[in-house]
Amino acid sequence: MPAYPGFCGPDNVTQSALADGQRTVNWYIELAEAPGATAQLALYPTPGVSVVATASDAPGRGAIACDGRLFCVIGSTVYELDVVTSTLTARGTVAVDSNPATLTWNGDGGGQVFITSGDNGYIFDLDSNVFSQVRTGATSMGAHLDGYFLALDAATSTIWLSNLLDGTTWDPTQFAQRSIASDPWVSMAVLDRYLWLLGTETSEVWYDAGAYPFPFTPHPSGLVQYGCAAAFSPRVVSGALLWLGRTKDGAETVLQVQGFTPEPVSSFAVSSALGGYTTVSDARGDSYQQLGHTFYLLTLPTAGVTWAYDVTPSLQLPPPLRWAERGTWLVDESRYDAWRPLFHVYLGATHYVLDRTSGSVYTLSSSHLRDVDGRAIRRLRVPPSLYADNEWLRVWEFQLLLDVGLGAVTGQGSTPQVALRISTDGGRTYGVERWRSAGALGNYDTRVRWLRCGMGRRWTPEIVVSDPVPWRLLGATVTVEQSDAGSGGMR
């Protein structure tokens, strides 16, 4: 049977589903590196989570790993997680608003963690374990550069500077206010040794010039003609800064910069989706690196969606082919919500994440096969439609190419199942689910195929799996013939 064209691919639901209606949820794309590989593109399963500890407060709001220790803000409490005993110790209490908390470290020279939450600033001393409030108001978020802590007051477009290697002291004369452009600063991020100050429509890059009395000054590269649509979307990932951008003309798009000139990396389909959400200002940026892939995750809680962009340089795919969705499946509502794991940190060869709605702390791993609350990870793939000049197509056989015989020893997943739904109108409507086994443990010769798969001008399969096994999808084959409209005669 011939291969199904483009079966493994990105999420690319365009404005017209007839042009392209591909969806990829809770999988990511990997390109074969060696010639002669069985599959040039494969879909591999996104990681699951396992609970490490749960706080009495909620939700998860920010985390940092520093000096071999892990700190997180959950609700109104700053906790330290003992990764050996999996216990949480309260270290202090912070003000709370609807924004995430930010946590930064000034290194061994200062030995302090600067925490911003509820528009206030706090310092935790790593040597004495003393927690104290150091700023009241005017502290939307924090950063660290060259031994200084920086606080952004988004209400007045002002950055404030701590003393060198001392976040407990903030000289009221050490500040700078936006003057180069009129749109206000709403966010900031540190990339290499440059401070990016992101406005609503334009942005600036500042650096430590050793000036007096204020050491930071605008870089001569000039004004950046992109702003920021979501203050907590910026994230430094693999030497690049990514964020949800905008200009004076609108057009929400994901931007990536490694030098001084941002480049859009969101596909037309992703940009179209972003433009259709009623709220994007609450988007949160996150990232992690695992199994050779590095991902930028953009979680939009109000819209109920998480977009994942594979930043991996060696992937050798253009940006539009690097996008997929992540989602936590809500069984009672039969829909995906934005992925709940958020605020990733890496410590001691282990990935940790918080829960954006509860007080749990998790480890994140490809060996974990369930989502938060022990939920099933529902993985979905809709490939491009089969189409031949608007002629009728009859599909005699459809077969998946995937790792089979990987069932669990007992319980759910001991006989993993694959569900197929078929659309004959390009994905507008679908028929009933047709189930097939992917083989019990050790049954490596199992064939996952369906016969007599219907007839239509735009034939589209939808594949869904949810059993707790490592689903690896390599492609599909299909036997299809063109037929005379209405008569059933074959051509």
Side-chain angles (χ1 to χ4, degrees):
M1 292 188 295
Y4 192 114
F7 188 83
C8 292
D11 197 294
N12 198 54
V13 180
T14 60
Q15 294 185 52
S16 171
L18 298 184
D20 196 359
Q22 298 183 67
R23 286 194 73 190
T24 301
V25 186
N26 293 329
W27 266 303
Y28 65 91
I29 299 174
E30 186 166 294
L31 180 67
E33 295 180 306
T38 301
Q40 290 302 305
L41 283 178
L43 294 177
Y44 288 135
T46 55
V49 297
S50 178
V51 176
V52 174
T54 301
S56 57
D57 212 342
R61 302 180 53 238
I64 190 174
C66 59
D67 200 27
R69 302 166 71 175
L70 194 157
F71 299 92
C72 53
V73 180
I74 302 177
S76 61
T77 306
V78 178
Y79 291 97
E80 181 174 359
L81 174 68
D82 187 319
V83 298
V84 177
T85 63
S86 298
T87 56
L88 289 167
T89 300
R91 294 299 190 183
T93 302
V94 298
V96 176
D97 57 17
S98 60
N99 292 324
T102 68
L103 299 91
T104 50
W105 176 40
N106 60 3
D108 292 336
Q112 300 169 335
V113 177
F114 179 43
I115 303 160
T116 72
S117 179
D119 207 36
N120 292 335
Y122 308 84
I123 285 292
F124 180 76
D125 190 289
L126 294 171
D127 292 328
S128 65
N129 289 335
V130 172
F131 179 89
S132 58
Q133 182 171 341
V134 295
R135 292 186 57 81
T136 301
T139 310
S140 306
M141 62 181 61
H144 171 264
L145 180 58
D146 285 0
Y148 298 98
F149 284 125
L150 299 107
L152 171 67
D153 178 13
T156 61
S157 293
T158 305
I159 52 171
W160 299 88
L161 198 65
S162 76
N163 279 13
L164 184 66
L165 298 176
D166 181 13
T168 63
T169 304
W170 296 75
D171 186 337
T173 68
Q174 293 294 288
F175 72 93
Q177 193 167 32
R178 186 164 210 199
S179 60
I180 294 177
S182 59
D183 57 303
W185 288 331
V186 294
S187 186
M188 68 176 175
V190 173
L191 176 63
D192 299 325
R193 292 187 61 192
Y194 296 104
L195 175 66
W196 281 73
L197 294 166
L198 308 175
T200 56
E201 298 174 359
T202 63
S203 301
E204 301 168 39
V205 180
W206 287 47
Y207 73 109
D208 184 357
Y212 180 83
F214 192 77
F216 291 87
T217 189
H219 191 272
S221 57
L223 194 65
V224 177
Q225 296 299 319
Y226 284 100
C228 181
F232 293 90
S233 65
R235 184 80 172 186
V236 175
V237 189
S238 290
L241 176 63
L242 289 94
W243 75 94
L244 181 58
R246 66 183 304 169
T247 68
K248 65 180 179 62
D249 300 313
E252 286 81 5
T253 185
V254 178
L255 300 166
Q256 178 176 338
V257 64
Q258 288 178 293
F260 298 103
T261 304
E263 297 289 343
V265 294
S266 49
S267 63
F268 288 126
V270 171
S271 294
S272 176
L274 291 170
Y277 303 143
T278 56
T279 300
V280 298
S281 59
D282 62 349
R284 306 340 188 181
D286 203 4
S287 63
Y288 73 92
Q289 179 179 341
Q290 200 170 59
L291 301 180
H293 291 259
T294 303
F295 297 97
Y296 170 71
L297 305 176
L298 187 67
T299 293
L300 298 101
T302 300
V305 65
T306 295
W307 287 101
Y309 178 69
D310 195 333
V311 186
T312 311
S314 61
L315 188 58
Q316 296 181 347
L317 288 175
L321 301 185
R322 295 169 177 252
W323 287 96
E325 293 179 61
R326 301 284 173 95
T328 293
W329 182 247
L330 305 182
V331 177
D332 295 341
E333 302 179 36
S334 297
R335 68 175 180 88
Y336 288 103
D337 195 10
W339 202 38
R340 277 175 47 187
L342 193 58
F343 306 114
H344 166 266
V345 295
Y346 184 65
L347 178 65
T350 301
H351 298 267
Y352 296 91
V353 288
L354 306 186
D355 190 318
R356 65 178 182 83
T357 66
S358 80
S360 293
V361 182
Y362 307 97
T363 55
L364 178 79
S365 173
S366 59
S367 64
H368 299 331
L369 302 174
R370 291 191 176 275
D371 201 353
V372 297
D373 300 332
R375 296 170 182 264
I377 303 175
R378 185 179 187 266
R379 310 184 192 277
L380 177 146
R381 174 58 183 162
V382 178
S385 300
L386 292 180
Y387 172 78
D389 298 327
N390 216 31
E391 297 292 336
W392 286 87
L393 302 175
R394 185 186 298 275
V395 178
W396 292 106
E397 180 177 353
F398 173 73
Q399 181 172 209
L400 283 183
L401 306 177
L402 76 163
D403 281 5
V404 295
L406 302 180
V409 177
T410 60
Q412 183 183 359
S414 56
T415 307
Q417 302 289 310
V418 181
L420 168 70
R421 291 198 308 162
I422 295 170
S423 171
T424 57
D425 55 15
R428 288 192 171 96
T429 61
Y430 284 90
V432 298
E433 291 180 338
R434 299 172 62 182
W435 293 84
R436 293 294 182 270
S437 170
L441 185 63
N443 289 349
Y444 304 125
D445 291 330
T446 301
R447 297 179 68 187
V448 184
R449 64 173 184 160
W450 294 261
L451 303 176
R452 298 178 180 175
C453 296
M455 180 176 174
R457 289 192 176 95
R458 295 177 183 269
W459 190 90
T460 313
E462 176 197 81
I463 299 298
V464 171
V465 296
S466 59
D467 285 304
V469 300
W471 293 101
R472 304 178 186 116
L473 189 54
L474 307 180
T477 60
V478 62
T479 300
V480 60
E481 294 181 84
Q482 289 183 236
S483 68
D484 292 327
S487 68
M490 307 310 298
R491 291 185 180 179

